[in-house]
Amino acid sequence: MTELLCVPFKQTLRLDLRKELSELIESITYQSSSFFEEDLTKISALRERVCDSEVSESKLLALKQYYAYLEGLREKFPDNQIQFTWFQTLSQKSCASAQYSIKFEMLNVLYNIGSMYSLLAMDSNDGSTNALKKLCIYFQKSAGCFQYIVQHLQETKEPVFDQNTGLALIELMLAQAQECFWFKAVRNSHKDSLISRLAQQTADYYEKAFLYSKKSELIRSDWTDHLSSKSMHFKAVAFYRNAISLGQNSEYGAMVKSLRIARSFAKKVSLQSKDEFIETIQDALKNAERDNDFIYLQPVPSSVPALKPAPMVKPLPIEDTLKDCNSGQDKLFLALLPLQVVEACTAYNERQDSYINEHIIRPLEALNKILTESLPKNELPPDLKPISMEELHQYDMALKDQESNNIRVKKLLEEVDMVLEKEAETNDYLSARFGNLNWDLPKSSTVNLTYTEKLRALKDYLKQGQTIDYETRSLFQSIDSRLVTFEIKIPESNNPIVSEVSNILKKREKYCRKVESESSEHRILPKIISEYRSTGETNFEGVFREHLKYLEADRKFVQEQKLVNKSLLEKLRAQGDQTEIRRLEPFELYIEDLRHSMQLLNEVKINLEEGADFYQKLIKSASKLLLEVQNFEASRRDQQRALETNLCSDK
């Protein structure tokens, strides 16, 4: 067996993986990187090893081990933190692709595993029977690696290679594996009919590889020519062996036709063995024509029955190829909390803060607001103090930030709209081009319904946010800035009920600060770590519910304060009924105006707090929808291309 092709390694930029992972551990987990010194050294040294160009079984094992380590990394770290750079080597020009993605690194390493199998097959090609078996297995394993990459092309920002390149490599590896079967059958003198079928299947694999290579963005023209020649060569072989088989069955006329077909294919070959094989066919055809003309006198048919191929190979799944490195006995960073556990801690911390705000802080603030609004008109609420111009400016900037966030969300949703419109326009164009009967992909309006409904809902939310932003801006502009920033000494009230209200307000403010301080110290992380270490489970909802029980006393305090509010309001109402009607003094008018402006400012502050949370969630939802729609459009584009190719080839 000669004239086989092997896939060259992709090259990569070296990087200090030890340093990158150390910084990542320090920044996103609650553990020290020094605790993982041995693991960091091991994976860093292994990446250095897989960067060289050595072709050996030990290098293959290193590639597999590194791939297994990367699988473990994806469970522990975010996928978008470390940048990996790889260079294409199939094309004449080497182009680089850099991505912050562990998955991108994994697929490129798997590419080199597939490449290594093809290179090792070439090194093992000594012509022996054992070598043939090894070659056949290696080529099938290589095909399995490339097949896995093709199936996962959409999982990285830029694919490892274009789809046609991947499919060409799969068919090439299968063709060469099938060629091993054919060669073994020839060597063992199997029946010519079987050798013909094996050769026909080999030709089919090479032909598919050739067709994909023509559409490939990477495969060189000399490879494409080679694949075409190999396909023609094995078609010639298939018809030559078929002719011999026909002769053995006394079908001499069909034998002549089969040899003529073999000769026509052989003349299209550009391999080194071309001339010798053509001579063999010519000799056989000359003898067959002479014998048929003078002895058998059978008519030469215009065609012979199509040769039935005999596939003997298939891509071997990478699970079997990599199983020697997936035993779990040599996993790294076992003591490091998985990313999902760290993310769960963060999510539960946010839920804890939201729970405290919803059930303790805001209810107490609402109770305070009711009290201050119920004070006599000539009394300035004790917690009502002028603010600085800097603080007022900060509220103005916060309003502008929310207005900017509104614009940002609007742009995200416009981009979602554009992606959906582009996909629909493309599908409508292709449907009109090929006709509704041929273009059997579902209509865009049907398959994108989920996304359009989400888009409509987000647009409604955005409109609501815009309305609230406008109202908040109007409120802010109606505030007397001079009044709320002008400091004036106001004597404390001698009204005993007002003094009582003042003390209650201060007590609640102090209590809110205490609850927030305790919350920052009383986090769920230790309980989640303990639960994960003891059970291995990653559903911590029960742990969270149990954790929140420490706030039961605080919720009880809120209920008690509702009763206190009720009592104080009754006292204030009774006092108000006894107050005689009189003309307000200028100072009292000032207090009333200040109270009004400060109440407006409080409404602005509440709107800003709620708006910040609103836009954070809205931006997250809009970004998520955009990603979903982009993935949907990419998937539809692949389906459209595949169907378009099929319809064009049918013509």
Side-chain angles (χ1 to χ4, degrees), residues 12 71 132 155 160 208 266 341 360 367 383 400 423 585:
T12 180
E71 278 191 311
L132 280 176
E155 294 182 14
V160 174
K208 287 181 182 179
V341 174
I360 300 167
L367 292 174
D383 62 333
K400 289 179 180 177
E423 188 281 324
E585 297 297 326

Side-chain angles (χ1 to χ4, degrees), residues 385-400 473 475-486 597-598 600-602 604-605 608:
K385 298 177 183 177
I387 64 172
S388 66
M389 284 298 296
E390 289 77 11
E391 186 177 346
L392 195 66
H393 179 66
Q394 287 175 1
Y395 295 138
D396 184 39
M397 295 304 295
L399 266 170
K400 289 179 180 177
R473 172 62 71 182
L475 281 176
F476 185 74
Q477 290 174 342
S478 66
I479 294 171
D480 189 333
S481 59
R482 184 193 60 80
L483 192 62
V484 297
T485 58
F486 184 73
S597 287
M598 294 302 283
L600 292 178
L601 184 61
N602 277 334
V604 169
K605 288 162 66 175
L608 287 174

Side-chain angles (χ1 to χ4, degrees), residues 500-517:
E500 187 177 356
V501 169
S502 174
N503 291 333
I504 288 295
L505 294 176
K506 291 176 182 177
K507 176 182 178 182
R508 290 173 182 172
E509 289 174 0
K510 184 178 179 180
Y511 194 90
C512 287
R513 290 195 297 271
K514 178 183 79 73
V515 170
E516 289 174 332
S517 175

